[in-house]
Amino acid sequence: MSLSADDVRKMARLSRLLISDADAAATLNALNNTLALVERMAAVDTRGVEPMAHAQDVALRLRPDAVTEADAREALMANAPAAERGLFLVPKVIE
Amino acid sequence: MSRPNGWEVVIGLETHVQLSTVSKIFSGASTAFGAEPNRQACAVDMALPGVLPVMNEGAVDRAIAFGLAIGAHVAPRSVFARKNYFYPDLPKGYQISQFEIPVVQGGTITIQVGEGDKAYAKQVELTRAHLEEDAGKSLHEDFHGMSGIDLNRAGTPLLEIVTEPVMTSSAEAVAYARALHALVMWIGICDGNMQEGSFRCDANVSVRRPGEPLGTRREIKNLNSFRFLQQAIDYEIRWQIEQIEDGHTIQQATVLFDPDSGETRMMRSKEDAHDYRYFPDPDLPLLVIEPARIERVKASLPELPAAMQARFAADFGLSAYDAAQLTSSLETARYFEAVVAAAGPAQAKPAANWVMGEVAARLNREETSIAASPVSSAQLAGVLARVADNTISNTIARKVFEALWNGEGESADAIIEAQGLKQVTDASAIEPIIDEVLAANPQSVAEFKAGKEKAFNALVGQVMKASRGKASPAQVNELLKKKLGA
Amino acid sequence: MRGTVASLAAELAAGSVSAVELATEALALAQASPLNVFITLDPERTLAEARAADVLRAAGQAGPLAGIPFAQKDIFCAEGWRTTAGSKMLGNFVAPYDATVVVRGKAAGLVTIGRANMDEFAMGSTNENSAFGPVHNPWDITRVPGGSSGGSAAAVAAGIVPAATGTDTGGSIRQPAGFCGITGIKPTYGVVSRYGMIAYASSLDQGGPMARTAQDCAMLLNAMAGFDARDATSLPRDAEDYTRDLDRPLDGLRVGVPRGWLADGVSADVRAAVEAGIVQLETLGAKRVEVDLPHAQYAIAAYYVIAPAEASSNLSRYDGVRYGHRAADYADLAEMYARSRSEGFGAEVQRRILVGTYVLSAGYYDAYYLKAQQVRRRIADDFAAAFAQCDIIAGPIAPTVAYKLGEKTADPVQMYLGDVYTTLVNLAGLPALSLPCGFGEGGMPVGLQLIGGAFSEARLLNVAHRFQQATDHHLQTPGGAA
C-alpha cells in the first residue's frame, strides 16, 4: 500500500499539520518507506488471533466517586499562551 | 405535526445525559454547576502533558442502573475508545468514549403519545447507551474577537443514549424525550436540569415516500428543551420535504436549531464527515462488570415506573393513563402512595383524581414541586376521608384543600370544625329549604314538568346556594326528585 | 564523579561527603561538559534539593538514596522545572505538578542535577531529534549516544552523575545504555507509574533507572517502582525490594538464546562481545538453551504501527490552546492549530503523527492497527513458550555499536531497523535490561540484553550483578577505569 501526495495532504489536515511544498516529496518518501517496513506484517498468519491492546490482562480499576482535586486554576493556567478572566483565549470559534 | 401527506418520517434520538456523580468521570475534580471558569478543571481535565484518566465507580453504577431500568443487556466487558478530533473545548484532542463495545446494549422505553381518545402507547427500542466524557464550553462573548474556553464541564460523565430510528413524528420524539427524562430522574442518575445542560437531545431526521428506502438523515444537535425539540423536528421535516419536492437531494449534515428564527441551519465549521479514528484507549483497561456489582445496583434501584404502573392498575383499578400520570415522577408516585396508605385503598381513585387534578394544578400555578407541597399526603388523605364518610361534599372539599394550602389549619378536621363546613344530610333540615326554593321558582318547576331537564339542575343549584353549599348534593337530588314527583 | 550510587550512598551515610558537595561537583561537571547532556540546569533549585537531603540526613530520616545526584530525563513533569520532552513545542513549559516518579524520587531524597536531553517526545534512537541539539557519546563525541534517553545515558557514562532516569518504549533505555557502556533496565509494563511521564505510546512506555551497575539500578528501581492510583495501567502489587536477590548464585540458570539472533543481523564485533557475555554466564553456572522467537522479525513492523498510532492521538493535546508553543501569526483557529503544531514539532515527530493518523484512519484500521495488535499477541505468545524452556533470554541490544552522528538521519527507516532486538520486548510488556559486555569497533561499548518473564526484574538484576562481579566492562569509563 503506497501513499499518494493527496493521502499525505489528507492526513496532514486530519492531524492539523502543515507540510510545505518543499517538504512534501521527502515526507511522502519517508512515509512510504515506513509503510513498506510495516508491510512485513502481512506475512504473519493472524487468523483467529485476539488483538492485544494491553500488556496485562487486567480489569479497569474503579475509583470511588469523591471530589479529591481542589481549585488550582492559577498554577494550572500559568503556561497559557493567552488567557483572560480565567478563560483560555482562542481565535473565535464559529459553529 | 402528524404525518405529512404522502411522506413517512423517520426519527432517531441521541440523548446526552449528565450523570449525577460529584466528581468527574476520569478525575477527582468537582462537577458542581456554576463555578467560576476553570476552577473545577484539574490537571487531568486540562489535558496537561503526562496526565492519565482514572475511572469513576459512580459513573459505572449509574450506567448499570440505566441498563437495568430499560431491560437492556449490561455488557460484562466493555471497552473505552478514543474519538479523535480537534476542537478548543476538547483539551486532549480526543474524547474518551465507547465505540464497538458499549456498557449498555438494547433495551426499550414505553411511551404514551397523544391525549384523550387519540392517545396510544409505543415501545421505543434503544440501540445502546455508553459512557463518555463531556467537553468544556466555548464562550463567544467578545474577548477582542477571541472565544474564551472554560474547561469546568470537561470530564463531566455522560451517558449517551441512542434509540433505533423508530419514531415517526415530533410528538413521538417529544414523548420519548419526556419519558427518558422522567426515567433518569426516577432512578436518580441525573438531575434532569435542562437549563444547566444536564439533558441534551440530538435528533436524526429523515423523510421518505412510503415503500422507498431510508432517506438521508440530517442531525439536529444540542436541543435542550422539549419545546425546541418539537419545533426543530417539525421545521426540519417541512424543510426536507420542500427540498425534495423542489428537486433537490438531501445531503447528510449536522445542523443547529435557532430558537429565534425557528429554523435549522447547517453548522459552519463542519467539514466533510469526520474520521474519528476510533481505537481502544491504551490508558484504560477493559471495564469488567461483575454480576455482584449488577446485583448491588439492582438492589438499590427504586421500583421502576412500569412496575409501579402495573401495580397501580392491578391493586387500585387505575387506568393506564392515570397510572402513567401518577408515575410521572418518583416524588409524585410516592405522594400518591402515601395518600392511599393513609386513606385506605378504597380511596385510590379519588386520590388519583386529586393528585392529577387539584394538586397538580396548584403546584403548576405556583411552580412548586410536589416535594414542597404545602398540603402533605397525610392532610390530603384526611380530606378524602371526610368526603368518603359524607362529612363534606366534593365542592366543600375543594374549599378545605384551599384552606390547607394557605395554611389556615393543621388538618381537614380542624378546618371543617373551625369554618363550620360539615355538610347537612338530614332530610328534615333540607326539605324546608327545598320547599322554599320550589315556592320561589315556579318558572323552573313548570319548565321541569314540561320536560326540561336543565330546570332540575337550576333548582338543585338554588337549593345548594340557599344552604350555602352545605347541603349534601346527593340528598338534595333525591329529595327534590321526590318532591317533584319525578 | 567517581563512584556508583551504592558507594556514594555509603559515603553519604558515613558523613564523609554531603549532598550539597556532590551536587556542586555534579553541576560543575554538567556546566563544563561539551556533550550537550542537559536541556535545563537550575543550580538554585538543585542546591535547594541537596540542602533538603542533608537536613533529612541530619534528622536521621535519610533513606539509602538521600543526597544522590541524578539526571532526570526531561520527560517527567516536575513542578517548577521547565519540562520540554526535547521539543520546541514545550520549550517554555514549566510543569505545575510532579510526576509520580518525581514524587517518589523526592521522597527518597534524590537530587536533580538537571533535565536530561532526549529525542523529541521520546521518538528516536540517537538523540538527534532533540530541538535542543544532539547529545554526543562520551566514548567518541562524533558518535551518537543512542536514544531516546541519550542525555541520561551520556550523563552517567561521562561520570557527571551516577544515576539517571530514562523511559523505554521501543528500546530507549536499553539501547543508549548499550551504546554508552552503562546499565539500564526497562521494568515490566505497569510497574513504574506513567502519571506525569509525557506520553509517547501509552501501551508501550515504561520509565526505569540507568546507572553504572545493576546494584545501582536495583536501588533506584526501589524508589521508582510501585502502584499508583493515578495511573489506571499501574499494577496493584505489593512493594518489592529489587536488591533482595542480587547475590543469588546463577547455578542452573537456563539462558535462552533466540535462534538467529547472533547471525548476520549483527556486526561481527557485537556478535563476538555478546557471545562472550553468554559464555561468561555459563562460566557462572548458567546453561545455554536455544529458543525460538519466530515472530520477532515482525516486531519492528508492528511497533511502527502501534507506537505512531498511539502517539498521533497522545500528541493531539499540543495545540497551542492551554500551554506550549502557539504560533505568532494566524488568521483563524484552523491556522493557529496547524502553524503551532508545525512550528512546535520536529520533522520525525510530524512523520510519526502522519503515519499514526494513517494507520488509524477509516479503511486502514483493520489492515494496520488491528493486524499489528494481533502480531503483538503472537510475539507475546512466543515469549511465553520460550520461557517454558528458559529462565531468561540473552542477546544483543542493537545490530552495531554506536554509529556516527548524522549517519542514519537521511532515511528514518534505516534508524528504525536498529530497533529489531528491543521493540519486541515492549510489545510483550516484559522486563529487560542492558549491561556492558565488552567493546567493539572503534573501542565503543557493546551491550548485552537480558529479557525476563513478567515481574522478573529482581532475577534480571541478580544475573547482571553476578556478571558484573566477575567482569569489569561496566567499570570502564571514557577517561579510563572508574
Side-chain angles (χ1 to χ4, degrees):
Chain A
M1 173 57 75
S2 192
L3 295 181
S4 67
D6 210 48
D7 289 326
V8 178
R9 268 193 291 274
K10 226 170 69 180
M11 295 307 127
R13 212 168 39 236
L14 272 179
S15 39
R16 298 302 186 272
L17 291 173
L18 287 172
I19 311 293
S20 67
D21 292 333
D23 293 335
T27 304
L28 177 60
N29 199 38
L31 295 185
N32 275 327
N33 286 345
T34 305
L35 288 178
L37 167 64
V38 161
E39 214 51 53
R40 295 185 187 182
M41 283 196 308
V44 182
D45 181 4
T46 50
R47 283 172 300 178
V49 178
E50 187 68 30
M52 184 172 169
H54 299 282
Q56 321 283 355
D57 192 14
V58 289
L60 181 57
R61 190 172 23 86
L62 302 180
R63 119 191 106 82
D65 178 29
V67 175
T68 55
E69 301 291 335
D71 166 27
R73 184 172 86 181
E74 276 64 43
L76 297 178
M77 289 185 72
N79 289 284
E84 202 172 290
R85 286 187 263 149
L87 294 159
F88 296 100
L89 296 187
V90 295
K92 207 152 182 76
V93 171
I94 314 161
E95 288 200 330
Chain B
M1 172 187 191
S2 52
R3 181 194 298 228
N5 272 338
W7 291 92
E8 272 178 13
V9 175
V10 177
I11 301 169
L13 286 188
E14 285 169 22
T15 309
H16 290 91
V17 170
Q18 272 186 357
L19 298 178
S20 55
T21 55
V22 300
S23 64
K24 306 258 179 105
I25 190 172
F26 296 120
S27 84
S30 167
T31 55
F33 186 81
E36 279 174 41
N38 289 309
R39 292 212 181 278
Q40 284 177 187
C42 67
V44 174
D45 304 321
M46 286 203 187
L48 293 186
V51 296
L52 294 171
V54 185
M55 188 73 211
N56 183 334
E57 183 174 35
V60 175
D61 286 345
R62 282 164 179 73
I64 296 171
F66 181 73
L68 292 171
I70 62 167
H73 170 71
V74 174
R77 296 156 90 84
S78 64
V79 177
F80 284 99
R82 294 188 185 180
K83 179 179 181 180
N84 295 280
Y85 66 97
F86 286 88
Y87 208 68
D89 66 5
L90 192 69
K92 292 189 289 297
Y94 61 85
Q95 177 196 33
I96 301 178
S97 177
Q98 296 190 293
F99 183 54
E100 284 178 345
I101 310 180
V103 59
V104 170
Q105 298 158 13
T108 57
I109 290 183
T110 307
I111 61 175
Q112 302 287 341
V113 194
E115 303 206 335
D117 53 1
K118 296 233 181 81
Y120 62 96
K122 183 184 176 112
Q123 288 258 68
V124 175
E125 286 96 16
L126 272 70
T127 318
R128 55 186 270 157
H130 68 255
L131 286 165
E132 60 182 29
E133 54 179 348
D134 210 345
K137 274 202 186 131
S138 305
L139 298 172
H140 302 301
E141 298 114 56
D142 233 17
F143 288 93
H144 358 277
M146 313 267 272
S147 294
I149 306 294
D150 174 14
L151 296 175
N152 281 349
R153 198 181 65 177
T156 303
L158 295 178
L159 193 62
E160 178 176 328
I161 301 166
V162 183
T163 74
E164 294 287 320
V166 294
M167 282 156 292
T168 63
S169 66
S170 62
E172 287 189 356
V174 172
Y176 164 77
R178 284 189 185 281
L180 178 64
H181 183 255
L183 180 63
V184 297
M185 292 176 67
W186 184 283
I187 59 178
I189 68 171
C190 173
D191 70 11
N193 189 325
M194 294 175 82
Q195 271 103 317
E196 290 180 2
S198 302
F199 189 92
R200 305 172 330 231
C201 292
D202 299 340
N204 289 292
V205 180
S206 70
V207 298
R208 65 174 166 186
R209 294 219 183 265
E212 289 200 352
L214 275 177
T216 307
R217 60 186 165 91
R218 302 207 322 163
E219 182 185 19
I220 315 171
K221 285 202 78 70
N222 279 337
L223 298 157
N224 66 351
S225 86
F226 301 123
R227 198 158 58 87
F228 292 165
L229 178 64
Q230 181 236 312
Q231 288 174 351
I233 291 174
D234 286 341
Y235 176 85
E236 181 65 20
I237 293 170
R238 273 197 305 275
W239 183 87
Q240 287 193 17
I241 290 173
E242 261 169 49
Q243 287 289 298
I244 299 174
E245 286 179 342
D246 282 351
H248 307 299
T249 49
I250 306 294
Q251 304 298 319
Q252 182 165 48
T254 305
V255 301
L256 288 177
F257 176 68
D258 179 355
D260 297 325
S261 65
E263 301 179 349
T264 56
R265 58 168 177 84
M266 263 179 57
M267 293 177 73
R268 277 195 270 163
S269 68
K270 289 289 178 177
E271 311 143 19
D272 18 347
H274 278 299
D275 180 357
Y276 292 119
R277 307 184 296 289
Y278 284 100
F279 70 102
D281 194 331
D283 291 329
L284 294 167
L286 216 53
L287 174 61
V288 173
I289 296 179
E290 309 274 339
R293 179 174 292 277
I294 298 181
E295 285 311 308
R296 220 168 29 242
V297 172
K298 198 180 207 171
S300 74
L301 281 180
E303 184 185 16
L304 295 177
M308 210 180 245
Q309 286 166 24
R311 186 161 60 78
F312 287 176
D315 293 355
F316 307 135
L318 298 179
S319 72
Y321 179 83
D322 287 356
Q325 290 288 96
L326 290 168
T327 54
S328 61
S329 80
L330 187 57
E331 290 70 34
T332 303
R334 294 231 190 281
Y335 184 94
F336 166 74
E337 281 197 298
V339 173
V340 174
Q347 294 306 306
K349 282 214 174 95
N353 291 335
W354 273 87
V355 172
M356 294 187 301
E358 206 65 34
V359 175
R362 284 307 292 263
L363 291 173
N364 264 337
R365 210 155 52 235
E366 298 183 18
E367 295 188 1
T368 312
S369 72
I370 199 159
S373 168
V375 177
S376 72
S377 53
Q379 288 171 329
L380 182 57
V383 175
L384 294 182
R386 290 297 163 257
V387 172
D389 68 12
N390 258 320
T391 307
I392 53 174
S393 68
N394 252 313
T395 320
I396 296 298
R398 274 192 223 104
K399 264 200 181 151
V400 175
F401 178 82
E402 174 84 27
L404 281 169
W405 190 279
N406 296 329
E408 293 170 24
E410 281 301 304
S411 68
D413 283 346
I415 289 167
I416 291 168
E417 183 68 42
Q419 303 188 14
L421 296 173
K422 244 184 175 167
Q423 97 181 325
V424 176
T425 51
D426 185 7
S428 58
I430 296 176
E431 280 180 359
I433 302 177
I434 291 179
D435 292 337
E436 273 182 40
V437 166
L438 288 177
N441 293 278
Q443 178 93 357
S444 296
V445 176
E447 282 176 5
F448 174 73
K449 296 227 159 116
K452 261 202 181 165
E453 290 294 333
K454 265 213 280 200
F456 183 84
N457 295 335
L459 290 168
V460 169
Q462 290 293 334
V463 174
M464 294 304 298
K465 199 160 124 200
S467 75
R468 274 173 290 134
K470 286 213 276 199
S472 156
Q475 278 285 66
V476 168
N477 264 278
E478 202 186 302
L479 292 170
L480 190 54
K481 274 195 190 121
K482 257 206 229 139
K483 292 222 177 233
L484 289 171
Chain C
M1 181 178 297
R2 300 193 163 274
T4 60
V5 171
S7 68
L8 291 169
E11 287 183 45
L12 285 159
S16 46
V17 76
S18 71
V20 169
E21 282 166 339
L22 289 179
T24 306
E25 184 186 346
L27 280 169
L29 291 167
Q31 280 151 345
S33 169
L35 304 174
N36 198 28
V37 155
F38 289 107
I39 293 175
T40 299
L41 292 172
D42 187 341
E44 256 185 57
R45 211 171 268 277
T46 297
L47 291 170
E49 286 184 25
R51 280 193 295 272
D54 283 333
V55 164
L56 219 56
R57 189 167 299 280
Q61 289 171 358
L65 294 171
I68 297 288
F70 80 113
Q72 184 82 279
K73 185 174 183 179
D74 205 12
I75 200 171
F76 293 100
C77 288
E79 192 177 343
W81 284 91
R82 181 172 68 151
T83 301
T84 70
S87 180
K88 181 175 162 190
M89 181 60 84
L90 293 176
N92 59 1
F93 177 73
V94 176
Y97 78 101
D98 282 335
T100 298
V101 162
V102 173
V103 171
R104 299 181 71 98
K106 270 187 191 168
L110 287 165
V111 177
T112 316
I113 299 307
R115 306 284 303 183
N117 202 342
M118 54 180 281
D119 278 302
E120 190 182 354
F121 286 103
M123 300 187 206
S125 310
T126 61
N127 219 131
E128 291 172 291
N129 290 334
S130 169
F132 300 90
V135 172
H136 301 260
N137 192 314
W139 293 86
D140 177 343
I141 63 168
T142 67
R143 297 186 191 236
V144 301
S148 60
S149 311
S152 300
V156 172
I160 298 172
V161 284
T165 56
T167 64
D168 189 316
T169 304
S172 293
I173 285 176
R174 293 163 285 155
Q175 186 251 37
F179 278 10
C180 288
I182 64 166
T183 306
I185 181 166
K186 180 202 91 66
T188 310
Y189 184 87
V191 162
V192 171
S193 167
R194 293 186 302 114
Y195 184 76
M197 201 175 101
I198 295 176
Y200 157 28
S202 318
S203 75
L204 304 170
D205 295 341
Q206 259 303 271
M210 303 171 78
R212 301 214 85 85
T213 69
Q215 178 181 31
D216 285 358
C217 286
M219 293 172 72
L220 292 163
L221 191 59
N222 278 353
M224 291 178 81
F227 171 69
D228 180 14
R230 288 185 185 273
D231 174 4
T233 59
S234 172
L235 297 169
R237 304 176 65 243
D238 292 334
E240 261 192 68
D241 174 8
Y242 294 101
T243 65
R244 69 185 188 275
D245 280 342
L246 285 174
D247 290 310
R248 189 172 153 196
L250 302 189
D251 299 270
L253 177 78
R254 296 169 301 164
V255 176
V257 181
R259 186 164 16 162
W261 276 31
L262 290 176
D264 329 328
V266 289
S267 56
D269 54 332
V270 169
R271 189 180 319 128
V274 171
E275 175 63 39
I278 297 171
V279 167
Q280 178 62 246
L281 290 174
E282 288 176 297
T283 308
L284 290 168
K287 201 162 68 97
R288 182 195 303 234
V289 173
E290 190 184 66
V291 293
D292 202 3
L293 297 173
H295 297 93
Q297 58 180 308
Y298 304 108
I300 27 175
Y303 175 83
Y304 280 101
V305 168
I306 295 170
E310 296 182 1
S312 72
S313 179
N314 284 331
L315 269 58
S316 293
R317 68 191 58 199
Y318 303 106
D319 56 9
V321 172
R322 299 165 311 291
Y323 50 80
H325 175 74
R326 182 188 284 204
D329 295 305
Y330 46 86
D332 57 25
L333 182 67
E335 221 179 288
M336 187 198 89
Y337 279 151
R339 283 196 195 282
S340 301
R341 289 164 62 80
S342 302
E343 290 171 11
F345 290 139
E348 180 60 24
V349 168
Q350 293 194 41
R351 280 192 289 266
R352 294 200 195 187
I353 290 174
L354 290 171
V355 169
T357 302
Y358 183 71
V359 301
L360 289 175
S361 65
Y364 298 110
Y365 179 88
D366 284 3
Y368 290 111
Y369 190 76
L370 205 58
K371 180 86 179 177
Q373 299 285 36
Q374 290 173 310
V375 171
R376 182 177 186 174
R377 168 96 44 208
R378 304 227 65 176
I379 290 171
D381 291 345
D382 282 357
F383 272 116
F387 283 123
Q389 303 166 354
C390 66
D391 302 309
I392 64 168
I393 289 171
I397 295 282
T400 66
V401 295
Y403 39 87
K404 299 280 187 188
L405 287 155
E407 189 174 313
K408 295 195 198 268
T409 48
D411 179 4
V413 173
Q414 284 312 305
M415 213 183 275
Y416 298 167
L417 293 173
D419 298 336
V420 61
Y421 300 107
T422 48
T423 50
L424 74 171
V425 175
N426 303 80
L427 290 169
L430 296 175
L433 64 70
S434 173
L435 69 156
C437 64
F439 295 85
E441 176 263 312
M444 297 304 294
V446 177
L448 171 68
Q449 181 175 207
L450 300 177
I451 306 168
F455 312 115
S456 64
E457 289 87 354
R459 183 60 148 157
L460 292 172
L461 290 161
N462 153 234
V463 175
H465 178 69
R466 296 296 295 200
F467 185 97
Q468 288 175 343
Q469 285 177 321
T471 59
D472 67 357
H473 308 298
H474 62 291
L475 297 173
Q476 306 306 314
T477 64

